Amino acid sequence: MQLLLRRARIAALVLACVGMSAATARAADAPVRIPLDAMGGSGETGVAILTAQGAKTMVELQMKGGSGDPQPAHFHNGTCDKYTPRPLYPLRSVVKGTSTTTLDVPIEKLIAGDLVINVHKSLDDIATVNSCAIAKPR
């Protein structure tokens, strides 16, 4: 009788652990939302939504207050005020407020906090950054 009770307790413990692991995995797969702040009085704000897809990451930008013209967007090393000029990971240009790009980069590398996401004013004025954020969950 004690052996049956012990086995039942072990089985219950194993099932509880499996359930917790599944819940943790689902939470880890949840999209990461990074708010983008307006820069230099541009008035353009938005959100970057990063979704893990195995070793890749889908990056969706949803912007408000932009011109509607194509706007280059990138991940850079650095900060919003001082970033390396050459983009580390280019994204599709924001057109009419949206952009979706799948990068061959795991999400953990993108949201470690040492990169920024920025959206430039336009293809003609790439030196002006309209919105930016440190690439990490807030």
Side-chain angles (χ1 to χ4, degrees):
M1 185 67 151
Q2 276 190 333
L3 183 60
L4 286 175
L5 285 173
R6 184 176 291 163
R7 285 184 180 170
R9 286 182 187 146
I10 291 171
L13 182 60
V14 167
L15 287 174
C17 288
V18 168
M20 283 189 277
S21 294
T24 302
R26 279 190 298 275
D29 290 339
V32 174
R33 298 177 64 85
I34 300 170
L36 293 156
D37 300 319
M39 300 288 291
S42 72
E44 185 173 15
T45 60
V47 64
I49 304 166
L50 283 66
T51 306
Q53 296 182 330
K56 297 181 180 191
T57 305
M58 183 176 67
V59 180
E60 182 182 358
L61 300 175
Q62 298 175 353
M63 307 302 298
K64 294 180 184 172
S67 67
D69 294 329
Q71 296 176 269
H74 312 101
F75 280 89
H76 291 268
N77 284 311
T79 66
C80 288
D81 294 324
K82 187 173 182 179
Y83 58 89
T84 56
R86 177 171 226 116
L88 189 59
Y89 303 112
L91 302 171
R92 293 184 187 265
S93 291
V94 174
V95 177
K96 296 182 182 176
T98 63
S99 166
T100 302
T101 308
T102 299
L103 298 173
D104 288 326
V105 181
I107 194 168
E108 297 80 16
K109 188 170 185 176
L110 296 173
I111 63 170
D114 54 350
L115 302 177
V116 294
I117 305 169
N118 62 22
V119 177
H120 299 268
K121 183 175 182 177
S122 68
L123 292 167
D124 293 330
D125 188 1
I126 200 157
T128 301
V129 175
N130 272 13
S131 58
C132 186
I134 301 273
K136 68 178 183 179
R138 288 196 222 175

